Amino acid sequence: MFEEEDQDHTQMIEIHAELQRLSGLMHDAGYIPCTEFVLDDVQEEEKVFHLCHHSKKLAIGFGLINTAPGTPLRIRKNLRICKDCHTSTKLISKIVGRAIIMVRYANHFHHF
């Protein structure tokens, strides 16, 4: 289980490396981070940094480095997904060619 801006996981260096790789590919595909809902009073680049460390993105990075290519990722979450996570997950799914399913409870899920 990941929390926002989690740094305690034993594979955090690898997870961040994967997210950095994906960030570059997303940027090349035209992705623009949606920072309008970041409520912290910080500079734009720090808002983007915070978005990169949402628990859903950490879980996606973990799943990508620990499962076989092509297999779907199923991520269980207990909170709503923010607009940026929704947009970036769609793009990541397309880039890596994998289904990403975010499950909130039995009848509420996002399928990318």
Side-chain angles (χ1 to χ4, degrees):
M1 176 187 263
F2 292 95
E3 295 178 8
E4 188 171 340
E5 298 188 28
D6 192 349
Q7 295 297 317
D8 295 332
H9 195 277
T10 59
Q11 289 184 288
M12 197 51 70
I13 293 172
E14 294 89 349
I15 292 168
H16 282 293
E18 179 65 5
L19 292 176
Q20 187 67 33
R21 181 186 78 83
L22 290 169
S23 179
L25 294 172
M26 290 167 44
H27 176 72
D28 293 346
Y31 166 74
I32 299 171
C34 178
T35 60
E36 68 184 278
F37 296 108
V38 178
L39 301 177
D40 298 328
D41 186 22
V42 294
Q43 298 293 326
E44 190 68 17
E45 55 270 357
E46 191 166 345
K47 288 180 180 184
V48 171
F49 178 82
H50 285 297
L51 289 174
C52 292
H53 293 87
H54 279 184
S55 60
K56 288 88 163 162
K57 290 181 184 172
L58 295 173
I60 290 169
F62 174 81
L64 290 174
I65 64 174
N66 286 291
T67 58
T71 59
L73 296 180
R74 289 177 183 82
I75 298 172
R76 188 171 151 210
K77 61 188 190 69
N78 62 348
L79 299 172
R80 297 181 68 104
I81 186 169
C82 77
K83 183 178 178 181
D84 184 73
C85 284
H86 190 275
T87 302
S88 60
T89 300
K90 282 194 305 187
L91 190 52
I92 291 169
S93 175
K94 186 175 182 177
I95 288 170
V96 299
R98 295 171 79 166
I100 301 175
I101 303 150
M102 292 203 183
V103 178
R104 186 160 180 198
Y105 29 77
N107 60 354
H108 186 129
F109 58 92
H110 294 269
H111 190 232
F112 301 94

